[in-house]
Amino acid sequence: QRQMCIRDSSGAVEAQTAAPFNLDGVIEQTVLLDDDALTVVAEKLEYRNDMAYLTLSLTNNTEGELDVMTSTLGYSANYVNGCMMTEGHLSAQIPGGETAEEEVGYSLWELQLYGMKGIGALGLGVRAVNDEFEEVFKGIIEVTTSLYGEDSIDSGTFAGFLDSCLLYTSDAADDLI
């Protein structure tokens, strides 16, 4: 059980239970990118152990090896529901002509800190370089879920409150009050 500890302007502490995360957001198999160098297919979105996992098939359409990555210092353009974040890390080396299946993970707890109650859209800033370190693709790919466009999946944000903290058990909240 997750609880939020919020201190109001008088200094009083109030524990609030975070709204449950909507796990109904699913995707259909979707081709996100198909060019001469790389094909990216979103296969499925699953929820396990307070995480959302996006499964991607990455096909190297070249003869040489490709390094495919997201959320790097050189190019970090990942987002969930339009909110930029570092969640969604991917790093894969794919031999020429082969396909690799990779999972990209998103912490539901962190998404809730950003005020999200469900996933409507996942964007990944993808960068791919060949074995000669030449950039063969750099851009944002996006997949939308069955919750896309629903107002109920975003509820404002918990982040930014100086006197707030996220507590994972009700016992910890009782200790602060």
Side-chain angles (χ1 to χ4, degrees):
Q1 179 180 11
R2 288 177 224 141
Q3 290 193 340
M4 176 71 55
C5 168
I6 298 178
R7 186 178 314 274
D8 65 19
S9 60
S10 71
V13 175
E14 176 186 347
Q16 297 177 354
T17 301
F21 201 85
N22 185 338
L23 305 178
D24 294 334
V26 295
I27 65 167
E28 294 183 17
Q29 185 183 51
T30 307
V31 176
L32 304 177
L33 172 67
D34 191 10
D35 71 9
D36 292 341
L38 180 65
T39 301
V40 180
V41 178
E43 299 288 348
K44 60 187 172 185
L45 179 64
E46 295 181 303
Y47 302 92
R48 302 186 307 267
N49 303 320
D50 291 320
M51 294 284 293
Y53 293 98
L54 176 64
T55 302
L56 300 172
S57 291
L58 308 167
T59 302
N60 179 347
N61 299 326
T62 71
E63 293 180 11
E65 185 175 275
L66 283 183
D67 289 333
V68 180
M69 59 212 99
T70 66
S71 194
T72 65
L73 288 175
Y75 187 59
S76 184
N78 295 353
Y79 62 86
V80 177
N81 298 352
C83 181
M84 300 290 289
M85 58 183 53
T86 58
E87 293 280 307
H89 178 74
L90 166 73
S91 181
Q93 292 182 326
I94 308 165
E98 293 192 20
T99 299
E101 192 168 274
E102 296 286 330
E103 276 190 338
V104 179
Y106 302 85
S107 165
L108 300 184
W109 291 6
E110 184 160 337
L111 297 181
Q112 283 186 307
L113 284 174
Y114 284 95
M116 295 176 207
K117 293 182 181 179
I119 297 174
L122 296 168
L124 293 170
V126 176
R127 183 170 179 258
V129 296
N130 63 19
D131 50 6
E132 296 176 15
F133 302 104
E134 298 168 326
E135 192 170 80
V136 296
F137 179 80
K138 181 179 177 181
I140 298 173
I141 58 175
E142 179 186 76
V143 62
T144 58
T145 76
S146 54
L147 296 177
Y148 182 73
E150 289 192 20
D151 292 334
S152 63
I153 60 174
D154 291 318
S155 64
T157 180
F158 292 138
F161 291 103
L162 294 177
D163 291 326
S164 65
C165 57
L166 184 63
L167 305 173
Y168 299 107
T169 67
S170 58
D171 294 338
D174 293 339
D175 291 343
L176 286 176
I177 296 178

